[in-house]
Amino acid sequence: MPATLFLAPDAAGLARAADILRAGGLVAFPTETVYGLGGDARSDRAVAGIFAAKDRPRFNPLIAHLPDLAAAEEFALFDDRARALAAAFWPGPLTLVLPLRPGAGLSPLVTAELPTVAIRVPAHPVAQALLRAFGGPLAAPSANPSGRVSPTRAAHVAEGLSGRIDAILDGGACAVGVESTILGLDGTASLLRPGGLPAESIEALIGPLTTGGNAAKPNAPGQLASHYAPAAAIRLNARDTRPGEIRLGFGPGAAALNLSPTGDLTEAAANLFHLLREADRLAGPGGTIAIAPIPETGLGRAINDRLRRAAAPRG
């Protein structure tokens, strides 16, 4: 493959990106959560290319990105709950897992041949512009090698995937910084992955959620036990710093790096993956990152989910 192109998020860059996608190529693009690795969700070749570029296991389904609810309804079956959630939170960091519409035309690789599909309408203006320029559904997992730290800047994408994908559409840093919340609606409303939309906001609209997800047979991304991992080891809920460790703090106190010195969970989520990368660089080979406790409320639930998976034993 030729060298990966860097494209500006202007009319020329968007047109070039859309042309690459129509030809079955792969383009990384910014969303408000993290950068996604986009390919035509209707093309077996393009979707297989996503899995190959990321070294991603094919049993792990992908999210299809659409520009609006009307476009999303062409590919999934929405009930009243789903439409109410879409009206409240789309565009935004919420993915809905819904029954796949018969004859939708998506590659079965997107859904891992399940009868459901994960759908999202992103809010980032560059993502919206790309979706409209392309004119179809984009399958787009995070734009990083599978299991590694998710990218929130174009440079992060290049670190992991340069030479393996066609282009990177550079839209600056991602504002939310953790992946979307995934909600299963094929039956009882179930939280499959905490993310950029706090579960409390969803429960305020539709009532209590159950917790779902299956690492052995995922029905949505982000359920594998080991994920988001830096090269360094991770020690969670660290209230001290041991010799040789790099401290990643939260709230007041001395730390080499701090997710949010004021203890703001929104700021911490936005900084999480970038500072994990920086801590990994500082820790060096065989090093350890000691991470301060994070409250298990609001966006803290998504942050802790990512950190627990990052710290899990690696296969």
Side-chain angles (χ1 to χ4, degrees), residues 255-295:
L257 301 165
N258 200 311
L259 294 168
S260 173
T262 62
D264 182 288
L265 288 170
T266 300
E267 180 183 26
N271 287 333
L272 176 63
F273 289 135
H274 178 63
L275 291 187
L276 263 183
R277 288 170 180 269
E278 287 297 299
D280 196 28
R281 180 180 61 80
L282 292 172
T288 297
I289 305 167
I291 302 179
I294 310 291

Side-chain angles (χ1 to χ4, degrees), residues 222-275:
Q223 297 177 14
L224 300 184
S226 178
H227 207 7
Y228 316 107
I234 287 180
R235 186 164 67 89
L236 298 177
N237 299 310
R239 299 184 183 276
D240 60 353
T241 307
R242 298 170 186 171
E245 291 185 333
I246 295 298
R247 183 168 182 78
L248 182 54
F250 176 79
L257 301 165
N258 200 311
L259 294 168
S260 173
T262 62
D264 182 288
L265 288 170
T266 300
E267 180 183 26
N271 287 333
L272 176 63
F273 289 135
H274 178 63
L275 291 187

Side-chain angles (χ1 to χ4, degrees), residues 8-10 14 29-31 123-132 169-172:
D10 55 17
L14 288 162
F29 64 96
T31 78
H124 197 292
V126 176
Q128 279 285 325
L130 179 62
L131 285 163
R132 294 182 189 282
L169 194 56
D170 188 350

Side-chain angles (χ1 to χ4, degrees), residues 128-152:
Q128 279 285 325
L130 179 62
L131 285 163
R132 294 182 189 282
F134 174 61
L138 288 179
S142 58
N144 57 284
S146 185
R148 294 300 180 183
V149 181
S150 298
T152 55

Side-chain angles (χ1 to χ4, degrees), residues 25-101:
L26 304 182
V27 177
F29 64 96
T31 78
E32 69 277 20
T33 58
V34 300
Y35 273 73
L37 179 56
D40 186 343
R42 301 161 297 193
S43 164
D44 289 340
R45 175 184 162 223
V47 179
I50 291 173
F51 283 96
K54 285 177 58 71
D55 291 326
R56 181 184 177 99
R58 291 203 179 184
F59 62 82
N60 196 7
L62 306 178
I63 297 173
H65 292 67
L66 282 304
D68 52 42
L69 174 59
E73 292 217 55
E74 296 178 20
F75 298 96
L77 299 173
F78 283 69
D79 59 17
D80 289 343
R81 294 173 306 168
R83 291 193 184 94
L85 287 160
F89 302 119
W90 277 358
L94 174 65
T95 294
L96 299 178
V97 176
L98 299 164
L100 180 66
R101 182 176 290 281

